[in-house]
Amino acid sequence: MEELLESNLLRHFRIVRFLLGREWVTIGELAHTLRIPSRTIRQSIGEINQYINPAKIESSQKFGIRLTYDAQLNSFYIYASIYKQSAHFLIIENICIHRYATLAVLAEKLFISQSTLKRKIAVINQTLEKYGFWIDTKSVDMVGDERKIRFFYYCYLLEKYDVLDLVAPEQELRIIDELISEFFAQFPSLQGPERQVFSYLNKLRTMLFISFKRLKKGCRLDSHDQIDEQYSLLLSEKLSKKIAVCYHIDCTDILL
């Protein structure tokens, strides 16, 4: 994901990644390893500290610098803090979660000019096209290999938010949880202890959230990507209606 960051944020990412898990290091050591001028590193430290609070890069004339954070935080929090500064990531996320009729509408939502948005998308696509998908400025959507698009957004949401509750609307979370409940009720053999832990359920919810968002936009997987028929899910009428109202799709389109 970091390769999609703007150059200054990618520099922040590299500095943070180097400092994680280390004690004191000197600016000179950091500059030599990352091949970044010492002056630029000092400036970057001030910029990073503006948005990673309560984590902080501490400085000492005697020892150098180090990254500190409370025990309840982890490296994910700091990386996510960097991602949240990125206009590139904001564009990608908005295209994932919402539907925009034109590029002008998205530009207005992001408070940038349409020409600036086009330039940023062109930069983003230089990275994405290598993986078989890209942002189409006419449809204002991600196009290409649908399987890869869904996996990309799955990784994106987990890396930026970790927990789906931080980004998905409550109504959609309830529908997804009901769907998971009905799935395990119909296939109890899959309901092992390893599938009941929070980390697994959070990943499952995230995958379903992305699938619903893509289905709502009319984006479907190829037939060879669909799940084996032995796991075809027959939804209750109540849940089917909720899905139809929320996502405007027929429940036969659901691929688990």
Side-chain angles (χ1 to χ4, degrees), residues 2-19:
E2 64 269 18
E3 62 184 322
L4 287 165
L5 291 168
E6 294 87 333
S7 58
N8 65 316
L9 292 174
L10 180 57
R11 182 170 62 250
H12 293 181
F13 182 93
R14 293 175 63 203
I15 291 171
V16 165
R17 181 172 59 187
F18 184 87
L19 294 177

Side-chain angles (χ1 to χ4, degrees), residues 95-96 98-99 134 136 139-147 149-150 153 208-222 225-226 247-249 253-255:
I95 289 174
C96 167
H98 306 292
R99 177 180 290 176
W134 59 93
D136 177 60
S139 62
V140 197
D141 197 8
M142 199 75 77
V143 299
D145 188 317
E146 182 62 22
R147 179 181 59 83
I149 291 171
R150 295 191 187 192
Y153 275 128
L208 288 170
F209 177 71
I210 293 301
S211 294
F212 276 132
K213 290 298 185 183
R214 297 299 292 171
L215 285 170
K216 186 175 181 179
K217 290 186 174 185
C219 306
R220 285 157 175 75
L221 293 168
D222 294 332
D225 287 320
Q226 298 181 15
Y247 294 104
H248 309 291
I249 58 175
D253 285 329
I254 296 177
L255 303 177

Side-chain angles (χ1 to χ4, degrees), residues 232-249:
S232 295
L233 179 61
L234 181 62
L235 299 180
S236 66
E237 182 179 356
K238 181 179 178 182
L239 180 55
S240 297
K241 288 181 178 178
K242 289 182 180 180
I243 292 172
V245 170
C246 184
Y247 294 104
H248 309 291
I249 58 175

Side-chain angles (χ1 to χ4, degrees), residues 166-229:
L166 297 178
V167 65
E170 185 176 344
Q171 177 192 10
E172 296 186 43
L173 289 173
R174 288 198 297 268
I175 290 174
I176 289 170
D177 287 341
E178 287 184 44
L179 176 57
I180 292 173
S181 179
E182 291 195 9
F183 178 78
F184 281 132
Q186 290 186 39
F187 303 102
S189 61
L190 299 178
Q191 197 172 359
E194 71 280 1
R195 291 189 172 94
Q196 301 307 306
V197 297
F198 176 79
S199 60
Y200 178 86
L201 292 174
N202 181 59
K203 291 177 181 177
L204 180 57
R205 294 167 95 206
T206 303
M207 286 190 290
L208 288 170
F209 177 71
I210 293 301
S211 294
F212 276 132
K213 290 298 185 183
R214 297 299 292 171
L215 285 170
K216 186 175 181 179
K217 290 186 174 185
C219 306
R220 285 157 175 75
L221 293 168
D222 294 332
S223 58
H224 67 272
D225 287 320
Q226 298 181 15
I227 196 165
D228 194 295
E229 290 185 0

Side-chain angles (χ1 to χ4, degrees), residues 14-245:
R14 293 175 63 203
I15 291 171
V16 165
R17 181 172 59 187
F18 184 87
L19 294 177
L20 277 167
R22 286 183 166 89
E23 286 300 322
W24 295 100
V25 299
T26 65
I27 295 286
E29 178 185 355
L30 187 57
H32 175 75
T33 303
L34 301 183
R35 297 184 179 180
I36 300 173
S38 298
R39 181 178 179 181
T40 303
I41 288 178
R42 291 188 178 91
Q43 179 182 345
S44 296
I45 290 172
E47 295 168 350
I48 294 169
N49 280 338
Q50 290 180 16
Y51 61 78
I52 65 168
N53 183 62
K56 183 180 180 181
I57 298 178
E58 296 182 342
S59 299
S60 166
Q61 291 185 347
K62 181 178 181 180
F63 300 109
I65 60 173
R66 67 175 179 177
L67 178 63
T68 61
Y69 49 91
D70 295 337
Q72 66 267 27
L73 299 181
N74 53 31
S75 59
F76 160 78
Y77 168 84
I78 302 170
Y79 287 140
S81 297
I82 297 174
Y83 295 152
K84 289 173 184 176
Q85 306 302 308
S86 172
H88 290 175
F89 277 35
L90 188 60
I91 292 168
I92 289 169
E93 183 174 321
N94 268 273
I95 289 174
C96 167
I97 296 177
H98 306 292
R99 177 180 290 176
Y100 295 94
T102 66
L103 208 61
V105 176
L106 175 57
E108 183 178 358
K109 169 68 181 298
L110 299 177
F111 300 102
I112 59 177
S113 69
Q114 190 171 338
S115 60
T116 298
L117 178 57
K118 285 182 178 179
R119 287 197 299 272
K120 290 183 179 298
I121 289 176
V123 173
I124 293 169
N125 282 342
Q126 288 177 5
T127 298
L128 295 183
E129 287 173 352
K130 296 183 296 185
Y131 301 103
F133 55 94
W134 59 93
I135 298 172
D136 177 60
T137 55
K138 292 183 178 179
S139 62
V140 197
D141 197 8
M142 199 75 77
V143 299
D145 188 317
E146 182 62 22
R147 179 181 59 83
K148 291 181 178 179
I149 291 171
R150 295 191 187 192
F151 183 70
F152 167 79
Y153 275 128
Y154 164 78
C155 295
Y156 170 85
L157 291 180
L158 288 178
E159 285 196 31
K160 183 174 180 181
Y161 293 102
D162 189 33
V163 179
L164 184 63
D165 302 62
L166 297 178
V167 65
E170 185 176 344
Q171 177 192 10
E172 296 186 43
L173 289 173
R174 288 198 297 268
I175 290 174
I176 289 170
D177 287 341
E178 287 184 44
L179 176 57
I180 292 173
S181 179
E182 291 195 9
F183 178 78
F184 281 132
Q186 290 186 39
F187 303 102
S189 61
L190 299 178
Q191 197 172 359
E194 71 280 1
R195 291 189 172 94
Q196 301 307 306
V197 297
F198 176 79
S199 60
Y200 178 86
L201 292 174
N202 181 59
K203 291 177 181 177
L204 180 57
R205 294 167 95 206
T206 303
M207 286 190 290
L208 288 170
F209 177 71
I210 293 301
S211 294
F212 276 132
K213 290 298 185 183
R214 297 299 292 171
L215 285 170
K216 186 175 181 179
K217 290 186 174 185
C219 306
R220 285 157 175 75
L221 293 168
D222 294 332
S223 58
H224 67 272
D225 287 320
Q226 298 181 15
I227 196 165
D228 194 295
E229 290 185 0
Q230 66 175 312
Y231 294 127
S232 295
L233 179 61
L234 181 62
L235 299 180
S236 66
E237 182 179 356
K238 181 179 178 182
L239 180 55
S240 297
K241 288 181 178 178
K242 289 182 180 180
I243 292 172
V245 170

